[in-house]
């Protein structure tokens, strides 16, 4: 046992080092546009004054995302590298590498909150702490998703903290009286403003916490005191978020309020109230409209259960479903009839009995998220915590070790390296080209046309808003006709001697550009790049042309022709 624990500790340390090292390398895989356009891209425009694309959620006409978390994460890191450059501590601190890696590094550091939570929670939920930590650290979800700047990542970390706060145990082993009502209120509200779906994850922890309070308190006064602390701190946190978002999304500023005459102060406060921005309500208003959700893609309601859970967690998700059915069969009469009727709701939730309650922490959020028609795998990443705790209970998932390792190696390879993996290196290459000494001494005009790639984060090109020499055109998944029309139009306007037009396109649709009849003089192939929207054909992969099919081309138009 001691030797196994020592091996597990060493393995966890190795995987933790891999997590940090791979972040710095950096990871080339591009999971989803939201990893850039829900924080880093916006903050790069606001703090570093770079040319960026502002997503509609951050426009003052439709504020659906709080600015607090982007400011506290990407905003802080960008302010830091900006300050280092201004102080001449680092002459070229702001470049494509630091713009990509600095926010990711902060999220990677934050990801160890998960490890801390697992270590704290494992004894309470009767799980092996080091087995759980190895499952967590070895999961590609932790290595890839939890090192990216997603709001889902923050949602998972807040869920972990909430689970730690509600799962407390006295040294004697009995459940302890909850003492963190205020902090629970703060985290619940912060999670709601980060992503309103956090309420689906918070439901079971909050019910469990309420059950603990009811079980441990004999005084109504003390009971009310706990809930009042929770409500007051939740309201105060909401007030802070609302004020911050209102200042950001409206024309109201602190300077305007300070300079207002006392006689007009009440009027100014009334105006501020009228302009109040409550981003979660706007988010819910938008997402509860089925037509709006359909614009982002509609999926069958069982997608989370049957596809996304397996894609993220593999055999652990399947084993949890199997265990869930077995426990339902075994416990439903005992728990729902005997305890509900004769011992009350707290009896169901407070006495953990390990696995049954952990499965509720896993499947209840899964069920609530399945009510929405738009279902993406990343929505489920917070569930890794209850899942590894459940899987690390005695005699679980032991015989599936090899399958778990192979599954996570494949996931890390596909999503950490291959998936849209050429786009970030491509932006690094273009940034160096645009800021090369030749370009700096003699300004050139660059047109960058992206087709059949994910939305390129313009901030990584490191172009100031005042710079008009670079134009970015995102053609998304445009058809052959629209693409050729745009390319031919640009080629026909190819008049200046220092104009350069680059087309960035995956190798799988390289032939589309050839049909446009426009000549190119330079071709740069960036490998690897896997586009699931334009996947390579198996027959072509087996031929000698496989590298082209798994690459991203940077094609420069030949102005001489």
């Amino acid at each position: 046992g001691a030797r196994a624990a020592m091996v597990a500790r060493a393995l966890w340390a190795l995987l933790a080092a891999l997590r940090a090292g791979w972040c710095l390398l950096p990871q080339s895989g591009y999971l989803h546009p939201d990893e850039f356009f829900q924080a880093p891209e916006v903050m790069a425009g606001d703090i570093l004054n770079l040319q960026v694309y502002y997503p509609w959620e951050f426009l003052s006409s439709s504020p659906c995302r709080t600015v607090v978390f982007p400011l506290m994460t990407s905003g802080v890191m960008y302010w830091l590298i900006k300050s280092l450059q201004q102080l001449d501590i680092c002459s070229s601190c702001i470049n494509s590498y630091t713009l990509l890696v600095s926010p990711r590094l902060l999220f990677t550091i934050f990801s160890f909150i998960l490890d801390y939570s697992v270590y704290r929670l494992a004894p309470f939920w009767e799980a092996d702490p080091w087995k759980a930590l190895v499952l967590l650290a070895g999961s590609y979800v932790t290595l890839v998703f939890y090192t990216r700047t997603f709001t889902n990542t923050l949602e998972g970390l807040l869920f972990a903290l909430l689970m730690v706060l509600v799962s407390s145990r006295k040294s004697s082993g009995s459940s302890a009286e909850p003492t963190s009502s205020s902090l629970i209120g703060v985290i619940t509200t912060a999670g709601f403003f980060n992503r309103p779906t956090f309420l689906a994850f918070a439901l079971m922890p909050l019910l469990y916490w309420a059950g603990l309070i009811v079980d441990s308190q004999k005084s109504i006064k003390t009971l009310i005191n706990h809930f009042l602390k929770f409500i007051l701190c939740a309201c105060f946190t909401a007030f802070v978020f609302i004020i911050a978002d209102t200042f950001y999304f409206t024309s109201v500023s602190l300077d305007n309020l300070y300079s207002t005459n006392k006689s007009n102060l009440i009027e100014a406060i009334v105006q501020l109230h009228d302009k109040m921005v409550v981003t979660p309500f706007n988010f819910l208003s938008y997402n509860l409209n089925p037509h709006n959700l359909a614009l982002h893609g509609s999926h069958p309601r069982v997608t989370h259960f049957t596809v996304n859970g397996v894609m993220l967690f593999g055999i652990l998700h399947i084993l949890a479903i199997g265990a869930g059915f077995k426990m339902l069969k075994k416990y439903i009469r005992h728990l729902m009839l005997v305890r509900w009727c004769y011992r009350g709701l707290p009896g169901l939730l407070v006495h953990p009995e390990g696995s049954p309650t952990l499965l509720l922490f896993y499947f209840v959020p899964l069920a609530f998220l399945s009510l929405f028609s738009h279902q993406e795998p990343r929505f489920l990443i917070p569930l890794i915590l209850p899942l590894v705790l459940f899987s690390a209970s005695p005699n679980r998932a032991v015989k599936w070790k090899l399958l778990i390792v192979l599954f996570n190696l494949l996931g890390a390879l596909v999503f950490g390296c291959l998936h849209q993996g050429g786009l970030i290196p491509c932006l690094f290459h273009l940034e160096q080209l645009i800021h090369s000494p030749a370009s700096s001494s003699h300004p050139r005009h660059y047109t960058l046309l992206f087709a059949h790639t994910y939305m390129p984060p313009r901030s990584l090109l490191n172009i100031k808003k005042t710079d008009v020499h670079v134009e970015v055109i995102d053609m998304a998944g445009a058809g052959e006709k629209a693409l050729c029309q745009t390319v031919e139009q640009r080629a026909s306007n190819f008049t200046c001697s220092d104009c350069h037009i680059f087309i960035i396109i995956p190798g799988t649709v390289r032939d589309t550009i050839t049909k446009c009849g426009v000549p190119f003089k330079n071709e740069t192939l960036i490998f690897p790049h896997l586009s699931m929207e334009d996947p390579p054909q198996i027959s072509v992969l087996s031929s000698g042309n496989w590298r082209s099919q798994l690459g991203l081309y940077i094609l420069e138009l030949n102005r001489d022709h």
Side-chain angles (χ1 to χ4, degrees):
R3 185 179 177 182
M6 190 180 296
V7 170
R9 286 187 181 96
L11 187 54
W12 174 82
L14 189 65
L15 290 166
L18 173 64
R19 194 189 315 174
W22 202 12
C23 166
L24 295 170
L25 195 57
Q27 288 184 25
S28 59
Y30 182 172
L31 299 174
H32 190 279
D34 283 357
E35 69 175 285
F36 293 102
F37 294 93
Q38 286 184 358
E41 185 84 351
V42 176
M43 290 299 104
D46 291 347
I47 293 171
L48 302 177
N49 201 35
L50 298 180
Q51 282 187 30
V52 297
Y53 176 83
Y54 283 95
W56 64 270
E57 299 103 316
F58 284 93
L59 300 178
S60 56
S61 57
S62 54
C64 288
R65 300 279 180 190
T66 182
V67 75
V68 174
F69 283 111
L71 278 170
M72 289 170 60
T73 53
S74 300
V76 167
M77 297 307 287
Y78 287 162
W79 174 84
L80 180 63
I81 60 174
K82 180 182 180 181
S83 301
L84 289 173
Q85 184 156 306
Q86 287 176 339
L87 293 169
D88 287 331
I89 296 173
C90 172
S91 58
S92 57
C93 270
I94 303 172
N95 54 61
S96 56
Y97 176 81
T98 56
L99 288 167
L100 174 74
V101 170
S102 57
R104 283 188 180 181
L105 181 60
L106 186 64
F107 272 69
T108 302
I109 293 168
F110 285 164
S111 73
F112 286 95
I113 292 172
L114 274 182
D115 302 72
Y116 166 78
S117 302
V118 165
Y119 189 76
R120 280 283 308 273
L121 290 167
F124 182 80
W125 294 103
E126 300 169 3
D128 182 328
W130 287 105
K131 181 181 173 183
L133 279 169
V134 168
L135 280 174
L136 175 75
S139 169
Y140 86 87
V141 172
T142 307
L143 288 168
V144 178
F145 283 86
Y146 273 94
T147 58
R148 304 298 183 90
T149 47
F150 284 117
T151 55
N152 310 90
T153 305
L154 292 172
E155 188 173 44
L157 300 176
L158 292 170
F159 178 51
L161 290 174
L162 196 57
M163 280 193 67
V164 169
L165 290 174
V166 303
S167 305
S168 52
R169 190 186 284 276
K170 290 180 180 176
S171 55
S172 61
S174 60
S175 294
E177 176 185 329
T179 56
S180 46
S181 307
S182 304
L183 202 49
I184 289 171
V186 170
I187 288 176
T188 303
T189 308
F192 176 66
F193 272 81
N194 175 56
R195 285 185 69 85
T197 53
F198 183 73
L199 294 183
F201 296 98
L203 177 62
M204 282 305 301
L206 291 179
L207 284 176
Y208 187 86
W209 168 73
L212 275 176
I213 292 176
V214 173
D215 255 19
S216 61
Q217 301 300 332
K218 295 180 181 178
S219 163
I220 296 294
K221 183 180 177 182
T222 317
L223 189 69
I224 292 171
N225 186 41
H226 274 296
F227 286 111
L228 273 178
K229 280 182 184 177
F230 173 83
I231 292 167
L232 287 173
C233 287
C235 290
F236 176 75
T237 307
F239 176 76
V240 170
F241 273 85
I242 291 168
I243 292 298
D245 289 337
T246 301
F247 283 143
Y248 180 81
F249 286 110
T250 67
S251 56
V252 176
S253 69
L254 286 171
D255 292 338
N256 289 341
L257 285 181
Y258 286 138
S259 62
T260 304
N261 295 327
K262 288 184 179 179
S263 57
N264 296 326
L265 185 59
I266 295 175
E267 183 181 344
I269 293 171
V270 171
Q271 288 179 356
L272 180 64
H273 177 269
D274 292 340
K275 293 182 177 181
M276 208 67 87
V277 174
V278 188
T279 52
F281 292 160
N282 296 338
F283 179 94
L284 288 170
S285 174
Y286 179 87
N287 284 282
L288 289 175
N289 185 331
H291 175 70
N292 291 337
L293 281 184
L295 296 174
H296 301 274
S298 292
H299 309 95
R301 295 294 196 275
V302 294
T303 302
H304 278 326
F305 275 98
T306 58
V307 179
N308 294 342
V310 177
M311 188 186 298
L312 289 175
F313 309 121
I315 191 66
L316 298 185
H317 176 73
I318 296 168
L319 292 175
I321 290 175
F325 279 118
K326 285 180 184 177
M327 287 178 182
L328 272 177
K329 187 177 178 181
K330 183 178 178 182
Y331 288 104
I332 194 163
R333 185 168 296 177
H334 179 64
L335 292 177
M336 299 302 290
L337 296 179
V338 178
R339 293 195 175 189
W340 188 286
C341 296
Y342 298 104
R343 296 181 62 182
L345 178 61
L348 173 62
L349 294 173
V350 173
H351 307 288
E353 294 188 20
S355 299
T357 312
L358 268 178
L359 283 176
L360 289 176
F361 278 70
Y362 183 73
F363 283 115
V364 168
L366 192 58
F368 272 101
L369 293 173
S370 297
L371 296 175
F372 297 93
S373 61
H374 182 58
Q375 301 187 13
E376 295 181 31
R378 63 193 170 94
F379 296 168
L380 302 184
I381 65 171
L383 296 178
I384 191 171
L385 182 64
L387 185 61
V388 297
L389 289 171
F390 171 76
S391 303
S393 53
N395 303 319
R396 288 197 184 277
V398 176
K399 61 181 179 181
W400 301 100
K401 282 182 183 177
L402 181 60
L403 184 59
I404 291 169
V405 170
L406 292 175
F407 170 79
N408 285 300
L409 281 173
L410 181 63
L413 174 67
V414 171
F415 293 104
C417 298
L418 297 177
H419 189 259
Q420 293 286 325
L423 192 55
I424 301 304
C426 164
L427 292 167
F428 278 24
H429 173 80
L430 292 171
E431 189 248 2
Q432 290 179 354
L433 185 70
I434 292 166
H435 296 284
S436 65
S439 297
S440 303
S441 59
H442 188 68
R444 301 172 178 177
H445 187 277
Y446 293 93
T447 299
L448 311 176
L449 192 151
F450 293 82
H452 292 261
T453 68
Y454 275 7
M455 191 186 301
R458 290 151 174 79
S459 58
L460 296 186
L461 294 169
N462 191 22
I463 308 159
K464 292 292 183 184
K465 287 181 179 177
T466 52
D467 190 345
V468 294
H469 295 99
V470 180
E471 179 187 14
V472 177
I473 303 170
D474 182 13
M475 295 291 292
E480 182 181 328
K481 184 178 179 182
L483 187 57
C484 285
Q485 281 180 348
T486 306
V487 171
E488 287 164 7
Q489 182 185 5
R490 294 287 160 174
S492 62
N493 295 332
F494 212 166
T495 52
C496 69
S497 59
D498 287 316
C499 291
H500 298 267
I501 299 177
F502 292 93
I503 298 167
I504 297 91
I505 194 164
T508 48
V509 284
R510 168 76 173 78
D511 292 342
T512 306
I513 288 293
T514 341
K515 293 175 185 174
C516 297
V518 179
F520 302 99
K521 64 177 179 180
N522 289 321
E523 288 189 7
T524 304
L525 178 65
I526 295 178
F527 176 87
H529 180 91
L530 175 63
S531 172
M532 300 306 292
E533 288 71 26
D534 300 287
Q537 297 176 1
I538 302 296
S539 58
V540 180
L541 282 179
S542 59
S543 68
N545 200 29
W546 63 272
R547 190 177 174 86
S548 169
Q549 290 287 299
L550 286 175
L552 183 70
Y553 279 96
I554 304 174
L555 308 171
E556 184 178 1
L557 253 67
N558 189 349
R559 66 183 309 276
D560 297 332
H561 293 80

